[in-house]
Amino acid sequence: MKIAFLTAGGIAPCLSSAIGALIQEYTGKYPEAEMIGYLHGYAGLLRGNSIKISENTKKNADVLFEFGGTPIGNSRVKLTNIKNCIKMGYIEEGENPLQVAAEQLIKDKITVLHTIGGDDTNTTAAELVAYLSQNDYELTVVGLPKTVDNDVYPIQQTLGAWTAAEQGAIFFENIANESTTSRRQLIIHEVMGRNCGWLTAFSAFEYRKRLNRKKFLPDLLISQDRWDVHAVYIPETSIDIKKEANRLGKIMDEKDCVNIFLSEGAGIDSIVAEMESNGEDIGYDAFGHVRLDEINPGQWFAKRFAQEIDAEKVLVQKSGYFARSAKSNDKDLDLILKTVNLAVEMAILGNSGVVGLDEDNENKLSCISFERIKGGKPFDVNQAWYKNMLNEIGQVI
């Protein structure tokens, strides 16, 4: 048995721990199994770049639980995007990425491939499984669901999302202190989340929970209402700029500051339309997604709110790289270990799919067929914790 690991897409606070857990599980149950990691995701698979999991690593795999990032590298590669694969130098003109990847797996004599990534990573894995099946090569591919956005159907909770929300809350604990540097300060905390507002909403929720555990001195400027969240904007709800500006203006007059948690995907259609009307170029990645890091949604909202609420100072801060690069917290690590246990079991049985908490199976940990995996799952804005939070901060949706 020869096992390969591959992490792909953006990093999340689960990749290093998931690789460590997989190495531990296989080493404990199948000590003679050979393991390799393809370097930098599908790019490494296409190029034939891999690293052998050494005996030293097998003995010390728990060290990986203390790190964020990924020990084998990531990349964003879509095997069916031939043009992009050629452009990036992963394949030569006239080659088929799926065929190149399949032939590399055959050459390396891989019997089990574990892909750790989001919907794009695992749907790409599904395409690879189908291609190999059509060419009479038996390969078991078992994916683990990774994304800080928590937006994969039908996964109830993706690996790393809890940690990312907690880290976003920790990030803003320091940023909120900036409101003491000047009068009438607007602070926008831009959080990752292209189409799904879960991470923004849960980061705000986690932040307010942490806030409730702090002691304040309201006789000075250290009052809880100044440190609180005053607005949460996510892609799933529309934003009435004028109405919100009026509400936030009153908060600014009373509290002398306004704190906004903003999902980077909130209002993105309006932003892109405005940029296109101005003749500006829009950058897209290999999967056809708008490059949000080039758009700066936080700055767009800052410009529109600052004048309306008479802000004297505006600060836009992004927690994305800080949050997604953290090591797994205890809650995520527990889920990772349980997921890996079932993933290895499924791999040995020859069952391909993605192991996750299946919303269509009472949120039980299950091996979900690749055909059922897709991205773009919206955040459910009707959840009680979210509605209660908005009610407490006076925001109406």
Side-chain angles (χ1 to χ4, degrees):
M1 180 168 58
K2 190 172 182 181
I3 303 137
F5 308 128
L6 179 154
T7 60
I11 61 174
C14 65
L15 297 177
S16 186
S17 292
I19 294 294
L22 283 165
I23 294 171
Q24 274 193 338
E25 190 76 7
Y26 278 110
T27 300
K29 293 181 177 178
Y30 308 95
E32 302 304 317
E34 186 178 352
M35 291 177 260
I36 67 169
Y38 284 110
L39 294 174
H40 301 290
Y42 288 111
L45 176 56
L46 290 172
R47 289 172 167 169
N49 294 336
S50 63
I51 187 169
K52 183 178 180 179
I53 306 302
S54 68
E55 291 302 315
N56 180 59
T57 298
K58 290 179 181 179
K59 292 176 183 177
N60 297 284
D62 60 328
V63 170
L64 295 174
F65 298 159
E66 298 302 315
F67 285 84
T70 168
I72 55 176
N74 270 33
S75 66
R76 294 184 184 275
V77 178
K78 187 174 179 64
L79 296 183
T80 54
N81 189 337
I82 298 175
K83 185 177 180 180
N84 181 257
C85 287
I86 294 172
K87 178 183 176 182
M88 298 301 293
Y90 301 143
I91 62 171
E92 300 294 331
E93 191 78 43
E95 289 184 321
N96 179 343
L98 282 171
Q99 182 180 353
V100 171
E103 289 178 352
Q104 188 62 53
L105 289 164
I106 294 170
K107 179 182 177 181
D108 292 336
K109 298 179 181 180
I110 302 301
T111 51
V112 173
L113 173 65
H114 285 289
T115 57
I116 310 169
D119 60 291
D120 288 333
T121 299
N122 287 307
T123 53
T124 296
E127 292 162 349
L128 187 57
V129 169
Y131 183 89
L132 284 164
S133 178
Q134 292 167 7
N135 289 274
D136 300 320
Y137 183 79
E138 290 188 14
L139 174 73
T140 301
V141 180
V142 180
L144 278 67
K146 171 271 324 176
T147 173
V148 298
D149 295 340
N150 198 26
D151 65 345
V152 179
Y153 287 107
I155 310 293
Q156 187 262 337
Q157 186 69 37
T158 56
L159 306 181
W162 280 323
T163 305
E166 179 184 67
Q167 290 295 316
I170 292 170
F171 176 89
F172 197 72
E173 283 184 336
N174 281 7
I175 298 302
N177 295 324
E178 287 289 326
S179 65
T180 63
T181 64
S182 70
R183 293 187 63 253
R184 302 188 69 84
Q185 185 161 175
L186 167 63
I187 302 180
I188 295 181
H189 176 196
E190 187 177 321
V191 183
M192 284 184 167
R194 179 184 300 278
N195 301 309
C196 177
W198 181 90
L199 182 58
T200 301
F202 208 70
S203 295
F205 180 72
E206 285 289 312
Y207 171 73
R208 297 186 79 242
K209 279 203 317 186
R210 296 174 69 89
L211 210 62
N212 287 333
R213 296 196 291 266
K214 283 179 174 286
K215 289 185 177 180
F216 292 86
L217 290 173
D219 294 340
L220 302 173
L221 296 179
I222 314 298
S223 58
Q224 185 167 346
D225 53 359
R226 286 173 56 86
W227 264 254
D228 206 349
V229 178
H230 303 123
V232 179
Y233 300 137
I234 60 177
E236 290 83 354
T237 56
S238 59
I239 306 168
D240 187 325
I241 298 290
K242 286 290 184 184
K243 186 176 180 180
E244 277 297 281
N246 181 59
R247 182 178 73 86
L248 295 177
K250 293 176 181 177
I251 292 174
M252 180 68 86
D253 291 340
E254 182 182 350
K255 313 297 182 188
D256 205 35
C257 64
V258 167
N259 302 318
I260 297 174
F261 274 55
L262 170 73
S263 172
E264 63 183 356
I268 195 64
D269 291 340
S270 299
I271 297 172
V272 169
E274 181 180 293
M275 291 180 67
E276 289 177 336
S277 68
N278 293 335
E280 298 178 56
D281 292 330
I282 309 296
Y284 295 88
D285 65 17
F287 293 88
H289 301 149
V290 173
R291 293 188 182 277
L292 293 176
D293 57 335
E294 299 175 7
I295 298 292
N296 285 321
Q299 294 292 347
W300 191 86
F301 276 92
K303 290 177 182 177
R304 276 144 189 81
F305 277 130
Q307 187 172 2
E308 294 283 346
I309 66 176
D310 193 25
E312 291 188 8
K313 183 178 179 180
V314 179
L315 183 64
V316 178
Q317 292 288 292
K318 303 179 182 182
S319 62
Y321 292 118
F322 178 88
R324 78 176 195 170
S325 301
K327 72 173 185 177
S328 305
N329 65 14
D330 290 343
K331 192 174 182 180
D332 257 319
L333 185 56
D334 180 66
L335 179 58
I336 289 167
L337 293 174
K338 291 175 181 175
T339 302
V340 163
N341 181 273
L342 182 58
V344 171
E345 181 182 332
M346 292 296 102
I348 299 305
L349 292 173
N351 297 336
S352 292
V354 178
V355 173
L357 299 170
D358 188 353
E359 291 181 321
D360 298 330
N361 187 25
E362 300 179 339
N363 292 328
K364 293 179 181 178
L365 200 59
S366 314
C367 187
I368 303 165
S369 66
F370 283 115
E371 291 74 19
R372 293 174 57 210
I373 300 295
K374 63 178 181 177
K377 185 180 76 172
F379 167 59
D380 180 5
V381 298
N382 291 314
Q383 294 184 72
W385 64 264
Y386 179 67
K387 294 176 72 174
N388 289 340
M389 178 173 67
L390 292 193
N391 183 59
E392 288 170 2
I393 66 176
Q395 182 178 340
V396 179
I397 59 171

